[in-house]
Amino acid sequence: MHNHPFLVGTPLIDDYILKNGEDLLKKFCEYKNIELIICGHAHGDYQFTYHDVNIEVAPATCFQFKKGTLDVTVETRSGYRIFDFKREYYTSKTIFIF
């Protein structure tokens, strides 16, 4: 998904969550085969669990906002997240490039 469906704790970014994010997450939880949601657009890397669903937020490829900031505080680093999927599990790793 592009925008994140939940609050990440950075007010500047939380203004841009999905309008129906909570409803969407509840709907996803009705399906037991959904174990992972990947999204971005939060200009930072985050990992959460909503019930039994893992939510991974990839960092921006341009710049990050300092987590928790009320003002526009830019961290001049770009990044991406690598996922490695196995039959029974997955791993993820965030890579930041300065």
Side-chain angles (χ1 to χ4, degrees):
M1 297 187 338
H2 185 69
N3 288 63
H4 50 297
F6 52 89
L7 300 175
V8 297
T10 301
L12 179 66
I13 294 299
D14 287 340
D15 286 343
Y16 298 97
I17 64 171
L18 292 175
K19 290 182 180 180
N20 64 341
E22 184 74 22
D23 294 335
L24 181 63
L25 289 174
K26 287 178 183 175
K27 192 65 162 171
F28 283 160
C29 288
E30 292 177 12
Y31 300 92
K32 299 302 177 196
N33 61 338
I34 296 177
E35 299 175 13
L36 173 64
I37 298 169
I38 302 171
C39 57
H41 206 246
H43 289 268
D45 63 321
Y46 301 89
Q47 293 177 307
F48 298 95
T49 301
Y50 182 86
H51 296 275
D52 291 331
V53 178
N54 293 321
I55 303 169
E56 302 259 0
V57 182
T61 57
C62 53
F63 60 85
Q64 314 312 308
F65 290 122
K66 184 177 179 183
K67 290 181 181 178
T69 189
L70 293 172
D71 300 317
V72 177
T73 304
V74 174
E75 296 179 331
T76 55
R77 60 184 182 155
S78 48
Y80 58 94
R81 182 166 277 174
I82 296 175
F83 290 88
D84 184 18
F85 293 97
K86 304 295 184 191
R87 181 175 291 269
E88 299 296 324
Y89 66 93
Y90 77 94
T91 60
S92 69
K93 180 179 181 180
T94 300
I95 308 295
F96 284 109
I97 304 168
F98 293 90

